[in-house]
Amino acid sequence: MAQPIGPYTPIVRAGDWLVCSGQLGARDGSLVDGGVQAQARQAIANLAALLESEGASLADVVKTTVFMTHISDFALINEVYAAGFGDHRPARSAIAVAGLPMGALVEIEAWARLA
């Protein structure tokens, strides 16, 4: 599971809800190589690991927010996002931002609800 790079908790349980802090495409403290799609894949894998640590999965996610440094990467990120979530389609916002920690190209946060 990815370690936080700041003073925050990666996942918080609030009743039936799990709130996942934004995950970068980082592994072992460094961004993965391969561009925005590789980083998006790793960010989703990091979210999955956080959720699994609390007995949940990506199928429990009801809302995500995707932050990207280049809106032109929207279609590339969508490909990875669709593959990562499969047929499950949580509500989502996608936002272009001026920059992300560590120089990342994408960050994904999620809210999950436990049944």
Side-chain angles (χ1 to χ4, degrees), residues 2-97:
Q3 295 299 310
I5 60 171
Y8 61 89
T9 302
I11 189 167
V12 174
R13 185 182 291 261
D16 291 339
W17 291 93
L18 294 172
V19 182
C20 298
S21 297
Q23 295 299 298
L24 303 175
R27 183 175 49 236
D28 300 326
S30 299
L31 293 172
V32 296
D33 292 329
V36 70
Q37 287 190 310
Q39 287 186 27
R41 260 190 297 285
Q42 186 62 50
I44 292 168
N46 292 345
L47 281 174
L50 284 176
L51 292 164
E52 288 170 13
S53 76
E54 294 289 330
S57 73
L58 291 174
D60 297 306
V61 172
V62 297
K63 170 69 168 83
T64 63
T65 305
V66 178
F67 303 93
M68 63 196 94
T69 57
H70 304 287
I71 197 68
S72 59
D73 287 337
F74 186 72
L76 294 171
I77 292 168
N78 275 342
E79 290 176 16
V80 173
Y81 186 94
F85 279 91
D87 291 334
H88 179 58
R89 295 289 185 259
R92 182 183 82 175
S93 302
I95 303 163
V97 296

